[in-house]
Amino acid sequence: LKDMRDLMPKITSPRDINSRKLDYDWLQAEVFMAEGSPEKAIEVLENTVTEPAPNLQTDTYGPYNLPYRQDFLARAYYQAGKLDKAITEYERLIEFIPGQKDWHLTHPIYHFLLAKLYEEKGHASKAVNQHEQYLGLMQDCDPGIAEVEEAKKRLARLRGF
């Protein structure tokens, strides 16, 4: 973080300044979370610049869609015990709003994590729905993925099998 902070004044392009500020904020938030200070991470993430949607001709479209880049705030809310806010954030991540200039892909793991949050809050039918969506998206995946196996067990338990 110190090295990044020291290099920031040397960046001159406005787009690069915003991108590096975002990288710095994300790393700082991850450090705070690893240190057990999710409230500090939330403060950083709620006040950070937003990542611009890339155009399809750039090499940034792939990294833009990495799941850990999209759900920082949801994870921080969860770690801070703010389940309702974490749920709201994951619901935002899986919602497609036509015309909105947010081009992130919906990673299947968001359905799984949202299902677990619904379970914690006692919303069994919503949890079942999200587990079903997750497993539907993952039906052709390689066998042995831990989250898939866990989702199957959770879904069976929620259905009473």
Side-chain angles (χ1 to χ4, degrees):
L1 284 169
K2 182 189 176 313
D3 290 344
M4 289 176 78
R5 192 172 37 248
D6 291 346
L7 290 172
M8 294 290 272
K10 297 176 183 173
I11 301 171
T12 57
S13 161
R15 182 175 172 86
D16 287 344
I17 289 170
N18 285 340
S19 293
R20 297 306 64 91
K21 171 75 169 101
L22 187 58
D23 290 341
Y24 178 85
D25 289 346
W26 283 343
L27 180 58
Q28 185 178 43
E30 286 285 6
V31 169
F32 284 143
M33 289 171 56
E35 292 174 344
S37 301
E39 293 293 343
K40 289 180 181 178
I42 290 167
E43 184 178 335
V44 168
L45 294 168
E46 287 181 338
N47 294 301
T48 193
V49 298
T50 58
E51 182 173 27
N55 64 44
L56 296 176
Q57 297 175 353
T58 68
D59 60 354
T60 59
Y61 197 72
Y64 176 78
N65 281 295
L66 293 172
Y68 68 86
R69 289 177 63 144
Q70 298 293 331
D71 76 338
F72 274 117
L73 189 55
R75 290 184 288 121
Y77 283 142
Y78 179 76
Q79 189 175 342
K82 297 179 178 187
L83 299 185
D84 290 330
K85 286 190 172 195
I87 286 171
T88 299
E89 187 64 13
Y90 277 116
E91 288 172 340
R92 182 189 69 77
L93 288 169
I94 66 169
E95 182 179 25
F96 172 74
I97 303 172
Q100 184 177 2
K101 199 167 186 169
D102 178 5
W103 299 351
H104 75 272
L105 300 175
T106 301
H107 196 285
I109 197 70
Y110 301 153
H111 293 284
F112 173 71
L113 296 171
L114 181 57
K116 288 173 61 173
L117 286 167
Y118 282 147
E119 284 184 67
E120 274 192 63
K121 292 293 289 184
H123 304 300
S125 63
K126 287 182 176 183
V128 165
N129 180 276
Q130 291 303 314
H131 279 308
E132 287 173 343
Q133 286 191 40
Y134 174 70
L135 291 170
L137 292 167
M138 299 297 286
Q139 67 186 347
D140 294 325
C141 70
D142 292 334
I145 294 175
E147 291 86 359
V148 171
E149 299 307 316
E150 184 180 344
K152 288 176 182 177
K153 290 176 186 174
R154 287 174 174 270
L155 185 57
R157 185 179 40 77
L158 286 164
R159 288 181 172 162
F161 296 120

